Amino acid sequence: MRVLLLLGLVAFGLADLTRFEGEKVFRLKPVLDKHVTLIKELAKSIEVDFWSPESAELVNIDIDVDIRVPAMYLDMVYTTLQQSDMEHEVLIEDLQSAVDGQMNNKPSPRAHSYTKYNNWDNIQSWIASISSSNSNLISKQVIGNTYEGRPMTVLKLGKTSSSTKPAIFMDCGIHAREWISTAFCQWFVKEALSTYGSDSQMTSLLDQMDVFVLPVFNIDGYDFTHKSNRMWRKTRSKRSGSSCYGADPNRNFNAGWCTVGASSNPCSDTFCGHQPESEIEVKNVADFIRRNKSILKAYITIHSYSQLLLFPYSYSFSLAADHSELLKVADGASAALRSLYGTRYTSGPGAATIYPAAGGSDDWAYDLGVKYSYTFELRDTGRYGFLLPESQIEPTCEETMLAVKYIAAHVQQNLY
């Protein structure tokens, strides 16, 4: 056994950890059609990682474009930008330094911590311990396994009741590299359990409703970001005939699937999958939501970054039937969030507020009949992007709690 363990540690030590020395993140500001064309041409000629928007196809006039550029292409990119008259700046001078700095230069504790970016093993241990901590308020259920065989566990928060209660579903970590997202789901569970009985709003919510929390949606991808490539976004599924891994789970739902803002190229970061729900993680979540459709009144999905609170639609510029109410609630939630640290969020329908993108979970849930369907894009607006330092976990989670509780209170008072 000890020999096997040592071999395992050696194998882990040899795992290929991607390094990002010398890589930079640029912000480009296209204001003319020729700028848009230049960015799209650049993306065709070199390997560029789009941080925002999520692919070259989504680049448009007056949308800031954040791209990660490998060190080997920097000279070419600088030359191209200098020859154009497009405004640009460097957001991150050295990506590896930012990756290292995200952990506040202290080694991560072996144990779970709410103010650290926990790896999957720590989160799994936390799920096991927290779900058995208070049987009157929390239980767990496995809704299926990931592609690589990891259990997807949903935590059910709410005072146990003999009757079926209306519910809210919330997930975090659809995109693997958005670590602040997964940190929030853990924080939410902690807050719900620790403030029940003292915070009147949380007590009322958990007395009258249940909240289903999926702490990490894309577990395989999240594990991969910790062990191999911090910048991975997609799932880790593999099809014969393609050398590329994974699909974008938030382009894989059956909502205008693959029509806009998604790619049919398996190597793209916005690959929509081979068909709707081709990704087992998406199918597991969709099946769970379908099974509980009669009780689910709200769907909340947590992403980063950009400081946005979005609602349907993203696959179309058409306004949702409940547009005015969804906007009013989003504006109220954004104001509640801002009240703590002054963090400004923009709220609105996905397509019109940022860009059109099909196959998203929020649009799918809304079309299924879950009226209050929201997507959060947490801090920041690009200074650190996906590499938000651990020192910002607590304030980000505290302010986001206010917005989520605002939405939950509205749902609770407007059950349908």
Side-chain angles (χ1 to χ4, degrees), residues 324-401:
S324 56
E325 185 185 1
L326 291 173
L327 178 60
K328 190 168 157 248
V329 174
D331 285 344
S334 297
L337 186 152
R338 188 166 64 247
S339 71
L340 194 56
Y341 297 112
T343 310
R344 295 199 163 271
Y345 269 56
T346 303
S347 45
T353 307
I354 42 169
Y355 42 74
S361 61
D362 55 351
D363 283 358
W364 174 82
Y366 182 79
D367 281 347
L368 189 72
V370 183
K371 176 174 162 186
Y372 300 105
S373 185
Y374 288 100
T375 294
F376 279 81
E377 295 279 357
L378 301 185
R379 291 190 193 183
D380 57 8
T381 55
R383 165 67 185 87
Y384 295 103
F386 302 120
L387 302 174
L388 195 71
E390 285 179 331
S391 57
Q392 291 197 40
I393 293 176
E394 187 166 345
T396 301
C397 290
E398 286 176 337
E399 68 192 9
T400 308
M401 274 304 293

Side-chain angles (χ1 to χ4, degrees), residues 39-103:
I39 295 169
K40 290 183 177 180
E41 289 299 323
L42 195 65
K44 276 185 199 150
S45 60
I46 64 167
E47 190 189 318
V48 173
D49 174 15
F50 279 83
W51 280 24
S52 178
E54 292 158 322
S55 68
E57 299 85 64
L58 298 169
V59 173
N60 219 323
I61 290 172
D62 295 331
I63 291 182
D64 285 356
V65 178
D66 299 349
I67 55 168
R68 168 170 74 94
V69 178
M72 64 189 286
Y73 299 123
L74 283 175
D75 287 348
M76 178 189 163
V77 169
Y78 272 122
T79 305
T80 307
L81 290 175
Q82 275 154 10
Q83 285 169 354
S84 80
D85 55 355
M86 181 170 31
E87 193 186 331
H88 60 275
E89 62 179 307
V90 175
L91 291 178
I92 298 178
E93 280 290 348
D94 181 74
L95 193 65
Q96 188 58 48
S97 298
V99 168
D100 297 338
Q102 183 179 27
M103 301 299 212

Side-chain angles (χ1 to χ4, degrees), residues 126-127 130-143 152-170 188-189 192-193 206-215 288 292 295-296:
W126 168 81
I127 288 170
I130 198 119
S131 58
S132 56
S133 64
N134 186 338
S135 58
N136 291 325
L137 279 181
I138 186 167
S139 61
K140 66 174 181 177
Q141 99 181 68
V142 175
I143 62 168
M152 295 176 70
T153 305
V154 165
L155 295 171
K156 179 185 178 184
L157 298 163
K159 192 164 184 354
T160 46
S161 162
S162 52
S163 56
T164 309
K165 293 155 71 183
I168 293 167
F169 184 94
M170 180 166 69
F188 180 88
V189 172
L193 294 178
L206 297 184
D207 281 348
Q208 292 178 28
M209 297 186 77
D210 289 325
V211 183
F212 294 107
V213 178
L214 179 61
F288 180 84
N292 291 284
I295 59 165
L296 283 175

Side-chain angles (χ1 to χ4, degrees), residues 106-124:
K106 293 184 196 126
S108 261
R110 286 201 182 89
H112 179 275
S113 166
Y114 290 105
T115 54
K116 289 274 176 197
Y117 292 121
N118 300 293
N119 63 27
W120 171 242
D121 291 341
N122 279 349
I123 294 173
Q124 201 173 10

Side-chain angles (χ1 to χ4, degrees), residues 271-314:
F271 175 45
C272 59
H274 295 277
Q275 63 193 54
E277 298 179 24
S278 62
E279 303 313 288
I280 187 65
E281 297 85 358
V282 171
K283 185 168 179 7
N284 289 340
V285 170
D287 282 345
F288 180 84
I289 291 174
R290 278 189 286 260
R291 276 198 307 275
N292 291 284
K293 179 182 148 183
S294 62
I295 59 165
L296 283 175
K297 306 303 173 189
Y299 171 78
I300 297 171
T301 181
I302 310 290
H303 291 247
S304 75
Y305 62 96
S306 285
Q307 295 173 198
L308 302 166
L309 181 46
L310 307 172
F311 52 86
Y313 284 109
S314 287

